Amino acid sequence: MANRMPAEWEPHARTYLGWPTPNATFQDPEELAAARTAWAVVANTIVRYEPVSVLVNPGDVTGELLDPRIEHVAVPLDDAWLRDSGPTFVHGDDGLLAVDWIFNGWGAQSWAKWDLDSEIARGVAVHAGAGVVSSPLTQEGGGFHVDGAGTVLLTETVQLDPYRNPGWTRTTVEREVHARLGTHRALWLPRGLTADYGEFGTRGHVDIVAAFTPSGRVLVHTQTDPGHPDFAVSQEVTALIRDAGLEVTPLPAPETTEVDGELVDWSYVNHYVANGVVVLCAFDDPRDQEALRILRDAYPGREVVLVDARDIFRFGGGIHCITQQQPVFPAAPEETQQQPLENR
């Protein structure tokens, strides 16, 4: 049996988040308070459905984490984007494994610090009781997406970024990714959303562009305004995925395209699938309800909960970017994971 990364909708043992700590991302007390409130709403929502552990920089205040079931784990942190700095859990031959990718602050960006965050994956692995598999590939958890059945989505401007992986080719990246995740087919997106290439962007993370669903259909962020720069991105990604023989479900972009004169990369694709629930980004936008309907269709039997993600995106990411799932090992029937914790 080879390693296999379960799809996100497969049963979880728990969800991990990192707690916002003072840094370049949260530059003043008002921003830090807003971030902590936004992160806490996500944690307080997920813990209704599965256990939640929040990594907290020693000495930081966590009063917004109101649900007493949330576990607080003292760990030194640089930042709070645990999808990216944390491990990727996979099923191995004998147990749960945590893949420790190299993390270098989204391509060694000038504002980022990662001395502490580069050690997070190993710390989480110890907490989860998982073995550690070190990878020589520099990438983040938001930079790929799997269907659990052998296919992985990647982005040329992430895995082939010279500030992440100088000298790597598609072939060498695919060899390493397939070995760690148990995939055998890679679909390469040429680029990500336009605003993701700004100062605090990731340079093309796939988790705001496209996501697999249990039916095999792929949700694709779809910009419907021909005058928007992401209109061409949406068309290109849609064509690429269809050419690969997969069906696409368009997930229309929010109508809001700018905040304070700056282009935003708000995306409903950046949702998080937990046991019995989909936590869906909301933006107080006319398209929130349409996204809710589409996600309900994509995840029958799961509750879909809208959570305001504007403050999370304000700081550079979304709900998927701040969460990291620990799958159940060995695999368990999904039906046992569907009810909220308080109903079991």
Side-chain angles (χ1 to χ4, degrees):
M1 169 182 164
N3 293 349
R4 184 183 77 91
M5 180 181 177
E8 193 170 304
W9 54 82
E10 296 184 48
H12 297 180
R14 72 179 52 249
T15 294
Y16 287 93
L17 294 90
W19 190 240
T21 193
N23 58 28
T25 307
F26 318 112
Q27 295 188 24
D28 60 45
E30 181 275 330
E31 290 182 337
L32 182 60
R36 287 177 171 173
T37 297
W39 263 246
V41 172
V42 174
N44 291 330
T45 299
I46 296 171
V47 79
R48 294 173 48 215
Y49 299 88
E50 66 182 60
V52 171
S53 297
V54 178
L55 310 186
V56 182
N57 203 40
D60 280 354
V61 177
T62 59
E64 296 88 348
L65 296 172
L66 301 177
D67 196 305
R69 292 172 292 185
I70 296 174
E71 180 186 32
H72 298 59
V73 183
V75 177
L77 298 173
D78 290 311
D79 216 323
W81 307 100
L82 203 68
R83 172 69 50 179
D84 293 346
S85 58
T88 297
F89 288 105
V90 300
H91 289 168
D93 287 336
D94 301 312
L96 189 68
L97 298 175
V99 180
D100 180 14
W101 313 102
I102 295 175
F103 178 74
N104 74 342
W106 303 276
Q109 300 210 44
S110 60
W111 52 267
K113 295 193 304 180
W114 59 90
D115 288 349
L116 299 175
D117 282 355
S118 65
E119 302 296 323
I120 289 298
R122 289 181 172 272
V124 173
V126 170
H127 182 270
V132 177
V133 178
S134 296
S135 172
L137 184 68
T138 301
Q139 69 168 352
E140 307 84 36
F144 58 88
H145 199 269
V146 302
D147 65 355
T151 301
V152 59
L153 294 173
L154 304 170
T155 310
E156 291 181 8
T157 57
V158 174
Q159 282 79 18
L160 300 182
D161 178 7
Y163 296 98
R164 285 177 168 101
N165 297 301
W168 288 63
T169 65
R170 278 195 180 197
T171 299
T172 53
V173 167
E174 288 183 19
R175 184 181 301 126
E176 177 63 17
V177 167
H178 292 336
R180 304 306 169 200
L181 303 182
T183 49
H184 54 78
R185 179 170 73 153
L187 301 184
W188 287 87
L189 309 186
R191 52 182 168 160
L193 301 187
T194 303
D196 197 22
Y197 295 87
E199 180 183 5
F200 294 106
T202 70
R203 301 176 184 150
H205 271 191
V206 72
D207 67 355
I208 55 173
V209 182
F212 293 108
T213 65
S215 70
R217 296 178 67 89
V218 182
L219 298 171
V220 173
H221 176 88
T222 302
Q223 177 53 247
T224 58
D225 178 4
H228 193 286
D230 286 335
F231 181 78
V233 176
S234 299
Q235 288 190 316
E236 191 172 20
V237 170
T238 296
L240 184 152
I241 291 173
R242 285 177 172 160
D243 287 347
L246 300 176
E247 293 186 67
V248 168
T249 296
L251 192 51
E255 290 184 8
T256 304
T257 58
E258 294 184 357
V259 173
D260 296 330
E262 297 288 333
L263 196 68
V264 294
D265 53 7
W266 292 359
S267 172
Y268 299 111
V269 170
N270 200 266
H271 56 275
Y272 180 61
V273 185
N275 295 340
V277 68
V278 177
V279 187
L280 176 61
C281 297
F283 304 102
D284 191 25
D285 188 272
R287 285 193 170 144
D288 287 356
Q289 292 301 313
E290 184 177 0
L292 180 68
R293 176 187 60 77
I294 292 171
L295 267 295
R296 281 174 173 164
D297 288 343
Y299 288 94
R302 271 183 164 87
E303 186 176 0
V304 181
V305 178
L306 285 166
V307 171
D308 193 330
R310 286 174 292 178
D311 271 339
I312 305 176
F313 273 88
R314 169 185 169 191
F315 299 116
I319 290 172
H320 194 256
C321 305
I322 69 174
T323 51
Q324 182 62 264
Q325 69 272 12
Q326 177 190 333
V328 169
F329 185 90
E334 189 171 1
E335 300 80 46
T336 66
Q337 300 289 325
Q338 292 298 303
Q339 294 299 317
L341 293 180
E342 56 262 38
N343 292 342
R344 294 182 204 168

